[in-house]
Amino acid sequence: MRDTLLIALFAFLGAAAAGLLGAGTLWVLRRRSLTTSLTVVAAVAVTAMLAGTLAVAQAMFLSGHDLSVVTTVVAMAAVVSLATALLLGRWVVARSRELARAARSFGDGGAFTAPDGPTTAELDALSRELAATSAKLAESRDRERALETSRRELVAWISHDLRTPLAGLRAMSEALEDGVATDPDRYLRQIRTEVERLNSMVGDLFELSRIHAGTLTLTLSRMSLYDLIGDAMAGADALAREHGVRLVGGEVEPLPVEVDGKEMSRVLGNLLVNAIRRTPADGTVAVAAERSADGVVVSVTDGCGGIPDEDLPRVFDTGWRGTDARTPPAGAGLGLAIVRGIVEAHRGRASVRNIPGGCRFEVTLPAAGTPGG
């Protein structure tokens, strides 16, 4: 028993010395290829066995013949181990390089495609993660392109819409200044109208900037949709009369909601103005509110004749306007973008769909909780 313990001790000391040497080598070569690391590991295993054997032999536990036999066996094992480590290392490195080339493709704007052929479980998991990241980057690039397109359109349309009233204001002010205005009072009324239009446009831009910057602060309070919609319809009544459009709100339930009254009034006002301006004379704009499985749904239905299917996904985009709405008084294409931003700030959603003869805008809001609930 004592001899066995001594053999184990000498073998351990020899193997430990080889292991420490191998650990130092791995530390020095830690930035080298995986093939080099695997070769060092295989060499350490064989060297540890040989060092332990030599330590046991020096302690006179092995004869010269036995040492020669063991050394020969260890040498053959070393050849096989090193060859296996080299082959495994080269295979893993090759697969890693293929994966790196595939990853470089989606970094340059393409899509990631995992290399064909077998691979290790770790590299396979990495491929799946890279594929998921590639899909997210593609979605992000698409959103960025869409936002950039919206920004360019917004700048172009805002420039056009500002230039027209500013040119009119300049012409009217020059006429008044030169004393050639035949009806100064009419000119002054028109100037006031144009200034109000410009003020409304600047207000929309400011509101949209707050939404995009995430600085829109809501002051929520419990109120009835019936009152909110009634106030919004009263505010839009003059515009409806001017356009010869009937406003109908007979299907409005007195449902409680927790909203920012000022911001939600803006949402309803924008929807009503949008519907009235696009509904022909003698048409009808209907407002309804009802409870649904998702909360409370407020809808505004107009008689615009419908929106082309390819345009429906862009209706709430910043600066977007249909081809029939690119001239005043349609505005700068910000009203519906503001609607979506405010509704989403209330943890709701805004949508639109075509119906026979027109389209239906829907705003879904979370229902107010019951008192004490």
Side-chain angles (χ1 to χ4, degrees):
M1 183 65 181
R2 180 175 177 276
D3 291 345
T4 302
L5 290 176
L6 287 174
I7 290 172
L9 176 61
F10 284 114
F12 172 76
L13 292 175
L20 290 174
L21 179 62
T25 304
L26 284 175
W27 175 258
V28 173
L29 302 176
R30 65 188 182 278
R31 299 186 184 278
R32 301 295 295 275
S33 169
L34 179 63
T35 304
T36 303
S37 298
L38 287 174
T39 303
V40 171
V41 170
V44 167
V46 175
T47 304
M49 183 185 299
L50 181 59
T53 302
L54 292 175
V56 171
Q58 289 296 322
M60 305 300 290
F61 286 101
L62 283 178
S63 65
H65 176 269
D66 292 341
L67 178 61
S68 175
V69 172
V70 172
T71 303
T72 302
V73 172
V74 170
M76 295 301 102
V79 171
V80 174
S81 299
L82 292 175
T84 303
L86 286 170
L87 289 175
L88 176 61
R90 291 174 64 84
W91 177 72
V92 173
V93 168
R95 299 298 297 172
S96 298
R97 288 174 178 169
E98 292 176 4
L99 194 60
R101 285 194 294 270
R104 194 178 302 119
S105 66
F106 82 81
D108 294 335
F112 174 79
T113 303
D116 296 328
T119 185
T120 65
E122 291 78 10
L123 290 179
D124 186 58
L126 180 58
S127 295
R128 291 195 297 270
E129 289 297 326
L130 288 174
T133 302
S134 176
K136 292 178 182 178
L137 284 175
E139 293 176 1
S140 177
R141 284 193 292 266
D142 290 341
R143 285 195 299 269
E144 184 64 27
R145 282 193 288 266
L147 286 173
E148 185 60 30
T149 300
S150 294
R151 291 189 191 102
R152 288 197 298 266
E153 292 175 348
L154 177 61
V155 170
W157 292 338
I158 285 289
S159 300
H160 173 270
D161 288 348
L162 287 176
R163 188 182 300 114
T164 301
L166 287 174
L169 288 171
R170 180 179 180 179
M172 287 184 287
S173 62
E174 288 177 349
L176 290 171
E177 185 179 18
D178 295 339
V180 298
T182 56
D183 189 353
D185 290 339
R186 184 175 66 84
Y187 274 48
L188 291 173
R189 287 194 299 271
Q190 186 63 29
I191 287 175
R192 180 181 178 84
T193 300
E194 295 297 337
V195 169
E196 289 177 350
R197 266 191 62 211
L198 291 174
N199 183 65
S200 176
M201 195 180 301
V202 171
D204 285 347
L205 284 171
F206 178 69
E207 182 80 357
L208 196 63
S209 69
R210 289 200 303 159
I211 291 172
H212 285 173
T215 58
L216 180 63
T217 303
L218 300 178
T219 303
L220 301 180
S221 60
R222 188 183 181 92
M223 56 187 64
S224 170
L225 265 182
Y226 186 87
D227 296 334
L228 276 174
I229 293 175
D231 291 343
M233 291 181 66
D237 184 66
L239 181 65
R241 292 177 181 274
E242 179 184 341
H243 284 74
V245 173
R246 293 185 298 276
L247 276 179
V248 178
E251 299 182 9
V252 178
E253 298 181 22
L255 300 171
V257 288
E258 287 189 8
V259 295
D260 185 306
K262 178 182 176 182
E263 298 296 341
M264 195 51 58
S265 294
R266 184 169 194 142
V267 166
L268 296 173
N270 285 0
L271 290 176
L272 286 172
V273 169
N274 178 75
I276 291 169
R277 285 177 172 168
R278 284 158 181 78
T279 298
D282 295 329
T284 300
V285 171
V287 185
E290 59 186 0
R291 192 181 301 276
S292 72
D294 297 329
V296 176
V297 178
V298 180
S299 64
V300 177
T301 304
D302 60 35
C304 67
I307 300 172
D309 291 338
E310 63 272 15
D311 289 343
L312 281 174
R314 296 199 60 199
V315 166
F316 292 98
D317 287 354
T318 300
W320 184 86
R321 291 177 294 185
T323 54
D324 62 339
R326 294 192 180 188
T327 55
L334 305 181
L336 294 179
I338 291 173
V339 165
R340 181 174 64 178
I342 294 175
V343 170
E344 290 180 351
H346 282 83
R347 295 178 293 108
R349 69 176 184 274
S351 61
V352 60
R353 58 187 173 88
N354 284 323
I355 61 172
C359 58
R360 178 185 175 99
F361 287 84
E362 293 184 346
V363 169
T364 303
L365 298 169
T370 56

